[in-house]
Amino acid sequence: MIELIGFGAAIVVVASAVLAVSARDARAGIVGLTLASVTTVVIADPLPDPIALAFRVVAALFAGFLLWVTIRETDARTGSTALGWPAEAMAAGAAFAIGLAPSLLETERAGPDAALAAGFALIILSVVPVVFARDAFRLGMGLLLLLDGAALLRIGIAGTPTPLEQLTLGILAIGVAGATSVVALNAFAVSGTLEVGIAPGPEDER
Amino acid sequence: MTVLAFLAITFGAGAAGLLTRRRPPVSIAIGLVGLAAALVSALLVSPGDRLVVGESALVATDFMHLFIVFGTVAALALCVMALAADAWQRNLSSAMLLGLGALALGLALADPVAGLAATVAAGLPGVLVAITTPVDARGVRSAARELRAVAVTGAFALVAAALVSGPSGLVNLPTTVVGLAYLAMALAVAVRIGAIPFHTRVARVTGSAPTAALPLLLALAPAGFASAALVWIDGNIATTALPLDAERAVIIVVGLLCLLLGVLAATIQDDIEHVVGYSVIQDAGFVLLALAVFDSQVWEPARTWLLIYVVTKSAFAGWALAMRASFGTSRIGELSGWIRRAPLLAVTLGVIVAATVGIPSLLVFDVRSQIATLALGSPLALLAIVGGLASLLYYGRLARVGIGPVAPLVAAYPGVRPRGRGWAQAGASGRAGAAGDEGRAGAAPDVPGSTVAVAATAEARAAEGQGREAPLARERPVRRAGRGAEPLSLDLDGIAPAGDADEGSPAQGAAGPAVDAPPTSAAAFDAAERPVVEDDTPGPIGAADPTPAAGASPSAGVDAGPEDADGLVAATDARPGDADAGTDDVTPAFLLPPSGRGPTPGPRSGRAPRESLDAERPPSVRGPRIDQLRRDPKELTQAWAREALERAGLAPPSSGGTAADAAEAPIVEPVGTGAASARADAPRTEGTRADAPSPRAAGAGRLSGPTTGAPGEAAAAGGVAVGADDRPVSAAGGGASRTARSTPRSRRSPRAAGSDPDRSSAAAVLWEANRLLVLSVLALGLSLLGLAAAAGAFGVSEAARAQAPSPGGEIVLPGDLGGEPTGPDVTDPGAGSSPSDVASFPPEATPVP
């Protein structure tokens, strides 16, 4: 039963992440990101300690709220994926399938397969925003997805994190979201857009 | 519990400092007091202290103890130096505190993954200080890169830790998986410390972040993470005794690249901060080499090197800060002869060299040699040792420049001891235009015969940058200043004539008359009228009044601050993009020279609608005076200038009757520095600033007192140097001017009230001497601390030796040593508690099947 719940949650995570990276409206992206982060927490077998679980959920909601506030005060437009959501969904699905492959790691694992699969999918989805993001919001969203994916990989391989680890992971997510807000607000103050200009290319050479 | 106290102080004070950042004096006070309390708390941490938290624990180790003590001392010293150098960044102390707290948490957590995550999180406060103040696109880019590096580091570390996490990780690990985990962790360290080829972030950060923040960004937080990674690798990878030669070779190559290319890059840099940055990269090469060694003998030298690394790099950054504050530049080519004028800084550099490079009998030399030998073996180890010694190249270059002929900027250095009246003049004026350089300190020269040339050089720089200031491409003129800029001849006599002015474009900073600066974008104008969004975000620059600009003043000396939306000329020596000059670079009033005391930075201006700001103005500056100024800014500002010059003794008293007569004139509490355009060849009065051109203010004269709400009009008012005595430039934002105006006449400063100017100027001179003395002494103190650590004082070696990892990466306390091993498949590394035991580890390392 828990496996089925975990599998369903993993699909929700991946679908939400696809929404997050594909949305042109940052508000939709935040909804997807928050949903993915919240759902990530429950993909574990056994489920984390209730307090740790609650903290991770609150941390994910707070991270989303920080980004929401940023968007509310600046600009809700963000750079969407150039490939379109079907391409992103297919890439994520492929990564998900690879993660489910039982022979991927020829070894015993302590965590559920669904976590590994969702972790791979999130990491794949986060690569483009992290490397090629031109605006702060998209960069921060990619970084949060990357951290969620890494945390899922950790759950899938090493099992449910300890409460202390859950605590630090939640703090890390809040910190990244807060730092993203700071960068985004300053970028908006400078240029009137969320552009940060760190994507590779000629612009980077300024 | 002692660790908990440290955490409570650092996190509490850091959060309080951030929450009160709208009130800079309060925030600064909280930050400094918090750092001092954190230092006391760090000293009181007793190694061996354990606090059980759930299934894990917080344990205080000797290494952690020394790390946080060194880190806190460095942070406190750098914050004080930043204040003294007028290079304060409003988040500096808070970021330092939060970073130190996270590092202490990460080093104290017995859970390896949680510890890694905490040390990764320690890098996030760096984003707050990587954003330059005043904010510009360059700083935003640096902050975004820093954020990306931190998060990517965390992801790599999590993945690596997931793959191999002791009992809870994979069992029956294939060699490939262990190798991947090892590489992932090494990659995380390389990204975090900015190792080549991931060094571009470091280069960008050193080019834009405040010098005082560089240790946090480049040394402290990365060293903490590297320490946690070392513990993890020693406890999870090295203990497997798997043949990972290929992975080790890759890491060694990267480490050698850092050592050799870092030296090369540091040697060819033209900027001291970049030298600091690349020296950090170079020294980080030894950290990578240590990661490539599985022999437990490397534990002690690796951790010892990390402790020394933190202190020496902080000292080097502090020295760079003192140099910049003293000479007003960080360009090496302009620092010729600095040793002749600042022998104390020369001693400081010598101590830093000794602490970093060392001599064969010194601990620092030995630990580097050990790391190199263990990583490379003979004879390749010689390459790494020579690479470490090669840092003498860039240190030697700095020294060689220092003994050269004295350059004009260096000639303006007043020294730290009075040398009579001539020095007093230089000392009092040397601070004109100080600071504001995106959190970096600067000082202006004022040497007869060189003043005009220097000002002209700055003007040439400014002109060089004109027309290149796009909203996302604003560069600092001082950065792109051509070294070969020809000094021009400037006629700065008298009050600069008014002229058409630009609309306070962001490009119109200290670069002077931003003739070709593009007008602020429409989006910025729109945003300018928005309510304050977030305190950390400066408003679209100079955009409060959408009145179109009409060119720019050709006069050298107008700096309509970008935060002039409230009708105040927040004239700083700001450079392009100085959008936040009003509040971010703030020196508290209690630290100002007595004669400059009074104006206190107020809340941000620049984004709020003018109407609301008008309502905030004191009655003395509302109504007809502002209207008059809007109608005829030239006349009024010239009147104010005359008044200021009279008070400074630079002009004969007039019978008044101008718009700035006594009954109605706003208080011109000296706000002006960087009065480049006021005049360069007028007779000087001791302590006066009106004749002190700043390199950055050469084209950015200071206008004090209320003026039109339109920055462009402010610029049109001409480069009038009103300030007759000293005030930190960066603190003189709109808020400062507002405060100045609201000061009742009865509360004017003695000089403003017409008292003996010599007395005030003497106080300013005294402060000036103290300021430079404080900077020099603090830099020397930090370097001496580094030298003591490098010599093995404070039990550095013992602390490093005690940081023995257990299986799973947990730190083994001395009290636990010899206990039952906790790992299922490795030998007991806790035997590393003594040198002999460490040397024998792993005695029977069992490869994981």
Side-chain angles (χ1 to χ4, degrees), chain B residues 44 75 89 108 131 134 146 169 211 214 217 220 237 275 343 431 433 487 491 508 525 567 675 738 848:
Chain B
L44 293 176
Q89 206 267 11
I131 293 179
E146 186 71 18
T211 310
L214 291 182
L217 291 164
L220 199 57
I237 304 295
V275 174
R431 200 155 162 252
D491 180 12
Q508 190 179 358
F525 282 137
R738 183 182 305 121
V848 177

Side-chain angles (χ1 to χ4, degrees), chain B residues 60-140:
Chain B
T61 64
D62 285 318
F63 178 82
M64 173 260 190
H65 178 218
L66 266 187
F67 193 95
I68 61 174
V69 167
F70 286 168
T72 312
V73 168
L76 184 57
L78 286 166
C79 284
V80 174
M81 290 180 72
L83 272 178
D86 297 343
W88 184 260
Q89 206 267 11
R90 65 175 172 176
N91 297 322
L92 183 62
S93 59
S94 302
M96 293 275 197
L97 282 163
L98 293 174
L100 283 168
L103 285 173
L105 182 65
L107 294 177
L109 278 171
D111 186 328
V113 182
L116 281 168
T119 51
V120 167
L124 289 173
V127 175
L128 295 173
V129 286
I131 293 179
T132 53
T133 51
V135 68
D136 66 353
R138 186 174 176 146
V140 171

Side-chain angles (χ1 to χ4, degrees), chain A residues 19-33:
Chain A
L19 170 65
V21 299
S22 306
R24 292 185 185 280
D25 189 330
R27 288 167 293 195
I30 290 174
V31 170
L33 174 67

Side-chain angles (χ1 to χ4, degrees), chain B residues 161-510:
Chain B
L163 290 174
V164 187
S165 283
S168 61
L170 292 175
V171 293
N172 300 327
L173 291 173
T175 304
T176 309
V177 174
V178 178
L180 282 177
Y182 177 43
L183 273 183
M185 188 60 77
L187 185 63
V189 175
V191 170
R192 191 70 193 92
I193 63 179
I196 294 172
F198 310 106
H199 63 285
T200 52
R201 173 184 64 87
V202 175
R204 306 292 170 90
V205 164
T206 52
S208 61
T211 310
L214 291 182
L216 174 67
L217 291 164
L218 304 181
L220 199 57
F225 176 72
S227 171
L230 273 172
V231 169
W232 182 85
I233 286 177
D234 291 340
N236 293 280
I237 304 295
T239 51
T240 62
L242 290 172
L244 300 173
D245 294 336
E247 291 84 354
R248 290 180 54 212
V250 170
I251 296 170
I252 286 173
V253 166
V254 173
L256 280 177
L257 280 178
C258 288
L259 275 176
L260 302 177
L261 298 184
V263 170
L264 183 65
T267 306
I268 63 174
Q269 293 300 315
D270 293 328
D271 183 283
I272 290 179
E273 282 89 7
H274 280 86
V275 174
V276 173
Y278 280 104
S279 76
V280 169
I281 291 175
Q282 187 223 358
D283 287 346
F286 284 103
V287 179
L288 286 173
L289 289 182
L291 288 179
V293 181
F294 291 162
D295 192 331
S296 60
Q297 290 184 24
V298 83
W299 291 355
E300 179 185 332
R303 288 159 177 79
T304 303
W305 174 247
L306 279 177
L307 289 173
I308 297 171
Y309 171 78
V310 167
V311 189
T312 53
K313 293 300 113 180
S314 299
F316 196 21
W319 175 84
L321 180 60
M323 287 285 288
R324 191 183 182 97
S326 300
F327 301 115
T329 181
S330 63
R331 299 184 68 84
I332 295 174
E334 297 171 347
L335 288 169
S336 179
W338 68 268
I339 288 181
R340 300 166 186 246
R341 304 306 301 265
L344 198 56
L345 289 176
V347 172
T348 302
L349 183 63
V351 174
I352 291 170
V353 173
T356 306
V357 180
I359 54 176
S361 61
L362 214 57
L363 178 67
V364 63
F365 188 89
D366 293 342
V367 297
R368 287 199 313 193
S369 301
Q370 287 179 47
I371 293 172
T373 305
L374 289 168
L376 300 168
S378 182
L380 273 180
L382 192 61
L383 188 63
I385 295 173
V386 170
L389 292 176
S391 55
L392 287 171
L393 285 176
Y394 54 81
Y395 287 126
R397 181 181 175 225
L398 292 173
R400 186 175 60 81
V401 169
I403 60 176
V406 177
L409 283 174
V410 176
Y413 180 64
V416 295
R417 274 188 296 179
R419 298 179 198 145
R421 186 179 181 85
W423 171 82
Q425 289 179 356
S429 58
R431 200 155 162 252
D437 191 3
E438 293 187 8
R440 290 179 173 171
D446 185 21
V447 170
S450 68
T451 303
V452 174
V454 172
T457 303
E459 179 71 9
R461 290 180 183 174
E464 185 183 341
Q466 287 172 0
R468 292 166 53 190
E469 306 297 335
L472 263 178
R474 287 195 298 276
E475 300 288 342
R476 298 182 305 169
V478 86
R479 291 284 173 200
R480 61 169 179 258
R483 277 174 290 170
E486 292 294 331
L488 306 174
S489 175
L490 289 183
D491 180 12
L492 303 176
D493 193 16
I495 298 170
D500 294 337
D502 186 87
E503 181 59 26
S505 158
Q508 190 179 358

